[in-house]
Amino acid sequence: MDVLIDNLSLYGEGLLGTIELTVYASLLALVLGFVMASFRVAPVGSLRVFGTVWVTVLRNTPLTLLFFAVMLGLPRFGIVLPFQLFAVLALGCYTSAFICEVLRSGINTVPTGQGEAARSLGMTFAQTLGDVVLPQAFRSVIPPVGSTLIALAKNSAIAGSFSVTELLGTYKPLNEMGYSIIWSFVWIAVGYLLVTLSISAVFNVLEKRWGIAR
Amino acid sequence: MAVDPLIELRDVNKHYGTLHVLRDINLTVGRGEVVVVIGPSGSGKSTLCRTINRLEPVESGTVLLDGRPLPAEGRALARLRAEVGMVFQSFNLFAHKTVLANVSLAQVKVRKRGKEEADRRSRELLERVGLLAHAEKYPAQLSGGQQQRVAIARALAMDPKALLFDEPTSALDPEMINEVLEVMQQLARDGMTMVVVTHEMGFARSAANRVVFMADGRIVEDRTPEEFFTAPESERAKDFLSKILKH
């Protein structure tokens, strides 16, 4: 218990860092994932190819490698940003590939007749997707999107190795100060639980509110 | 009948893999005409119906709507589709929207009507198909026959030049078929141009101007219902009619 009370501000900063990373990267992942999913079902071939390449590259690359690529690669092209922003970029882009695939599987659960009916009424591709298909797909993707964002929260720990303040990284100073490793980690784990269970709770509410009534 | 062609198919061909579903189809539907397409399953009649608003693209030949060829997928095609309503076998009402919203959605999005104007028009049409009392319900709360009548109201809300019916009563219980056919009869009497793929021979006899009989991807006969049902010319049609009219 001492380790927590003595270092409350350290833990607090770490937890705040993790929450910030999670929230910003989630938003980026959701927006990019949505755009890429639209690309992958678009009637335009080049958009489909772009979406497929995006997903294939990002989903099949180790996240750590992606962090290296962003943190060390982008500055070579003159793009210098705070480390935290780099971390959000890496996490968000990586997770967007998973979100994209979750959304696409949701789109595939909507019967084709729904889209055909919309098109037969003269609705454009964007209207068909936005007003008819996605609102129905949204209901079935709430649970898997929740899981993906929980994975994102935990993946944010990698940012700690790249000088970004976040929860896991707090173990280093604590260890140096001579606190028990076990208890340092127990409290770190509790911090992550706080974040991930909050995400679960939000998605449970969303599911109750919007999920398909069976 | 003086022909003022609204829908024209010229030398239309289409394959599904190796299956030749539409073979050299030529068909003209005049304004105000009711054409019923019948034939055994797999004869290509649903595909024919779906090529008219290009839900199924054709491989060769042209489809003309009001004298204009159908463009490729895009805004121009969407505009033309708004002129041709379609009613599906499986209704395809938007499951996440109320009956009223189903009928109003495309009026607002495509016809750019105001929400109130669209809802007013929707209520008129729901009244016409006898479902105004169900306006606030969701499609899943309605019977099949009621859903199909909503689907007809939804198609009519666009003020289409023609309506396509793709086996509109095939998914319905027998006692619900009539309520849908009555709405269709009324539309036919009002002079709506209609292409109806159906197995309802009674409707074909009473409402159609022409009966098109299809088999193996070809139009085998194209005649008045009277001639077709009393004296079919082809062996294929005689065989088909003898099978369905026996019971």
Side-chain angles (χ1 to χ4, degrees), chain B residues 157-174:
Chain B
M158 305 304 289
D159 304 317
K161 292 175 179 161
L163 278 181
L164 311 173
F165 293 83
D166 185 5
E167 304 205 22
T169 55
S170 298
L172 297 176
D173 291 343

Side-chain angles (χ1 to χ4, degrees), chain A residues 43 111-124 126-127 131-133 135-136 139, chain B residues 50 53 73 75 78 81-82 84 86 88 92-97 105-106 109-110 112 154 158:
Chain A
T112 49
Q114 296 282 313
E116 284 183 351
R119 283 156 64 208
S120 80
L121 288 166
M123 291 168 73
T124 61
Q127 289 172 333
D131 292 311
V132 174
V133 177
Q136 295 184 64
R139 301 161 180 224
Chain B
R50 292 160 56 89
N53 65 355
E73 197 77 39
R75 276 174 196 284
R81 276 188 182 134
V84 183
M86 187 161 199
F88 300 84
N92 295 343
L93 293 182
F94 305 134
H96 61 305
K97 292 195 175 290
L105 180 67
K109 297 286 171 183
V110 180
K112 309 290 178 200
R154 179 176 68 178
M158 305 304 289

Side-chain angles (χ1 to χ4, degrees), chain B residues 64-128:
Chain B
L64 295 146
L65 209 66
D66 220 352
R68 282 170 298 178
L70 290 186
E73 197 77 39
R75 276 174 196 284
L77 179 62
R79 266 196 298 280
L80 274 186
R81 276 188 182 134
E83 307 292 330
V84 183
M86 187 161 199
V87 176
F88 300 84
Q89 181 176 351
S90 47
F91 328 133
N92 295 343
L93 293 182
F94 305 134
H96 61 305
K97 292 195 175 290
T98 62
V99 165
L100 185 69
N102 259 278
V103 184
S104 292
L105 180 67
Q107 296 184 61
V108 174
K109 297 286 171 183
V110 180
R111 290 282 184 241
K112 309 290 178 200
R113 290 181 189 147
K115 174 113 176 49
E116 275 177 29
E117 188 195 348
D119 282 349
R120 201 178 327 120
R121 175 91 176 113
S122 300
R123 285 179 201 283
E124 274 170 32
L125 289 164
L126 287 172
E127 171 100 70
R128 187 158 152 197

Side-chain angles (χ1 to χ4, degrees), chain A residues 45-107:
Chain A
S46 52
L47 292 183
R48 283 202 300 276
V49 169
F50 185 85
T52 309
V53 169
W54 179 271
V55 167
T56 309
V57 170
L58 289 169
R59 195 171 56 162
N60 299 312
T61 312
L63 180 55
T64 317
L65 193 68
L66 201 63
F67 265 96
F68 274 116
V70 170
M71 302 256 181
L72 305 178
L74 288 186
R76 299 231 164 156
F77 297 99
I79 303 170
V80 184
L81 299 168
F83 278 167
Q84 194 187 32
L85 196 55
F86 274 139
V88 166
L89 272 180
L91 266 175
C93 290
Y94 176 77
T95 313
S96 74
F98 293 87
I99 297 278
C100 166
E101 290 303 88
V102 166
L103 288 179
R104 200 163 63 91
S105 76
I107 288 171

Side-chain angles (χ1 to χ4, degrees), chain B residues 16 19-23 38-48 167 197 199 214-218 236 240:
Chain B
Y16 285 133
L19 181 68
H20 201 163
V21 278
L22 295 179
R23 299 170 190 251
I38 61 175
S41 47
S43 59
K45 41 187 204 309
S46 281
T47 310
L48 171 71
E167 304 205 22
V197 175
H199 295 292
M214 282 186 79
D216 306 319
R218 283 182 211 284
R236 195 72 188 76
F240 177 76

Side-chain angles (χ1 to χ4, degrees), chain A residues 151-173:
Chain A
L152 182 152
K154 295 186 291 183
N155 284 338
S156 71
I158 294 179
S161 315
F162 295 88
S163 324
V164 178
T165 313
E166 56 76 52
L167 192 54
L168 183 64
T170 53
Y171 88 91
K172 270 183 245 162

